[in-house]
Amino acid sequence: MSSPSPAIQIENLSYAYGRAEAVHDLTLTVQPGRCYGLFGRNGAGKTTTMKCLLHLLRPQRGQVRMFGLDPARHEVEVKRRLAYVPDQVAFYPWMSVRETLDYLASFRAHWNRKTEQELLDRFQLDPAQRTGSLSRGQRTQVALIAAVCPETELLVLDEPTSGLDPIVRREFIETVIGAYQEGNPGQRTILVSTHLITEFEGLIDQFTIIDHGVAVLSLDSDQARERYQKIRARFAQSPPELDLRAALRVRRNGRELELIANGGGAELLERLRQHNPEMLSTESLTLEEIFVATLKS
Amino acid sequence: MILQINFKSGMPIYLQVVDQIKVAAASGALRPGEVLPSIRPLAEELRVNRNTIAKAYSELESLGVIETLPGRGCFLKENHTALRKEVRRKLLTVEIDQAIVQAHHLQVRRDEFLALIHERMDALDRKRRTHEHHQEDDQS
């Protein structure tokens, strides 16, 4: 079914636990086929937002739409079209991996057995092993298999790789790119919340940084890396007095200057160049550096 | 041909892939008729979005650098010589511009800079000739 509606649409969402507001007036849209990152520190409101999308929590203000539908009124339809990997994976511990996957498959109209076998092999999981005796990484791998095999149009990942070792994290991301995205190229949408940004850098094509429940920055990843630049300059004598208000951050160390620019990098470079620096260099910030720069300023 | 993405270059990822494949084609790392890695394994290996690689490949196809043969994969086109020279020059321009900017910072004047280029070209020529002599000696 091809529908022009966004995969996810959040408008002015607010949610509070008692008097503690977890999400405040959040608005974002995820178009079909995009990989969208929701970045925030622990407790920033990422999981609360995700729970509102999945109808595990009911928005107190604003609204969410999944594929153009209200998840409260069309819960079954919405859940049929998405898969979810939570931050803490829990299965019935007495069930084997095989039984767990069969059990989860029984809720799905469609299940790709070939992909399931490929991923079991790739992760070297023993189908006969009880899930209660799996490591944390292995439990996440089983949850990922269960999320990929139904071949849904939306994959929601909540802090999927925190607490996992680097090898498991790499495999996780390769699986999302390979097994999940390959299925219906251009139509598979991903929403991932994480504070481990570096490893998702190449996958994410759009993101929102939230802090204390508020969206502080929403950008396309390529645009973000073009806009945020680190400029370094070294002068023969102590740096001249310059108007550097356009810079997000300025660090001085003896004859050296380091600036973080949020747009306007070219003008800052030109201004520095006029004072004949001995050395002048510039590089883009990675998404993680942008995250840090945004939350520290 | 091994590709490498640099998130600090400020260049869109798909363009980095496009440029690197052009470089590979121009330098001979990728030869006409040779098959390119298919989209999925390349995306997995670089750990970038599958759609980014797909976008890069369709860009390369519209530029006439590669062609897709259904069921067989993507290949470097046999006749891309016209592009080759233009691409080579463009690639060199980037490097030269960087050197010029650096020269400016280091207060090396225009004539000094040009003289230095000649000097380096001569030096590298000499080095290559000596190297070739050694190879001939080895063979004889």
Side-chain angles (χ1 to χ4, degrees), chain A residues 28-42:
Chain A
L28 66 85
T29 303
V30 183
Q31 297 297 345
R34 303 286 277 174
C35 178
Y36 201 103
L38 196 56
F39 302 153
R41 305 177 64 180
N42 295 320

Side-chain angles (χ1 to χ4, degrees), chain B residues 66-110:
Chain B
I66 63 170
E67 58 188 336
T68 307
L69 303 178
R72 291 182 51 206
C74 291
F75 294 84
L76 187 65
K77 262 191 162 175
E78 294 288 348
N79 49 354
H80 65 292
T81 23
L83 184 92
R84 219 164 138 164
K85 181 154 190 178
E86 177 244 329
V87 169
R88 279 198 209 148
R89 290 182 70 118
K90 197 181 142 206
L91 287 168
L92 211 49
T93 307
V94 175
E95 308 277 323
I96 291 174
D97 285 358
Q98 280 173 355
I100 293 173
V101 169
Q102 196 61 23
H104 179 74
H105 295 325
L106 297 170
Q107 293 162 0
V108 173
R109 288 193 326 270
R110 186 192 181 101

Side-chain angles (χ1 to χ4, degrees), chain B:
Chain B
M1 184 189 56
I2 292 171
L3 304 184
Q4 192 141 26
I5 302 301
N6 177 6
F7 294 113
K8 288 173 175 281
S9 77
M11 193 195 268
I13 301 171
Y14 88 95
L15 271 184
Q16 293 188 36
V17 175
V18 167
D19 278 4
Q20 287 182 36
I21 288 176
K22 282 188 194 167
V23 174
S27 70
L30 191 65
R31 296 197 184 119
E34 272 188 340
V35 69
L36 275 83
S38 41
I39 294 174
R40 176 175 171 170
L42 184 58
E44 283 183 312
E45 186 196 315
L46 298 174
R47 278 180 296 139
V48 302
N49 201 310
R50 189 205 171 281
N51 300 333
T52 305
I53 304 293
K55 189 176 175 187
Y57 275 27
S58 68
E59 171 89 5
L60 285 163
E61 200 164 0
S62 70
L63 289 171
V65 179
I66 63 170
E67 58 188 336
T68 307
L69 303 178
R72 291 182 51 206
C74 291
F75 294 84
L76 187 65
K77 262 191 162 175
E78 294 288 348
N79 49 354
H80 65 292
T81 23
L83 184 92
R84 219 164 138 164
K85 181 154 190 178
E86 177 244 329
V87 169
R88 279 198 209 148
R89 290 182 70 118
K90 197 181 142 206
L91 287 168
L92 211 49
T93 307
V94 175
E95 308 277 323
I96 291 174
D97 285 358
Q98 280 173 355
I100 293 173
V101 169
Q102 196 61 23
H104 179 74
H105 295 325
L106 297 170
Q107 293 162 0
V108 173
R109 288 193 326 270
R110 186 192 181 101
D111 49 344
E112 277 179 86
F113 180 73
L114 292 174
L116 190 60
I117 287 187
H118 283 297
E119 194 186 308
R120 292 314 302 157
M121 284 181 107
D122 291 343
L124 290 173
D125 266 352
R126 276 197 302 277
K127 208 168 163 185
R128 201 185 61 211
R129 260 183 256 130
T130 338
H131 183 70
E132 279 167 5
H133 278 306
H134 280 305
Q135 278 193 330
E136 279 166 27
D137 292 346
D138 289 345
Q139 280 164 7
S140 58

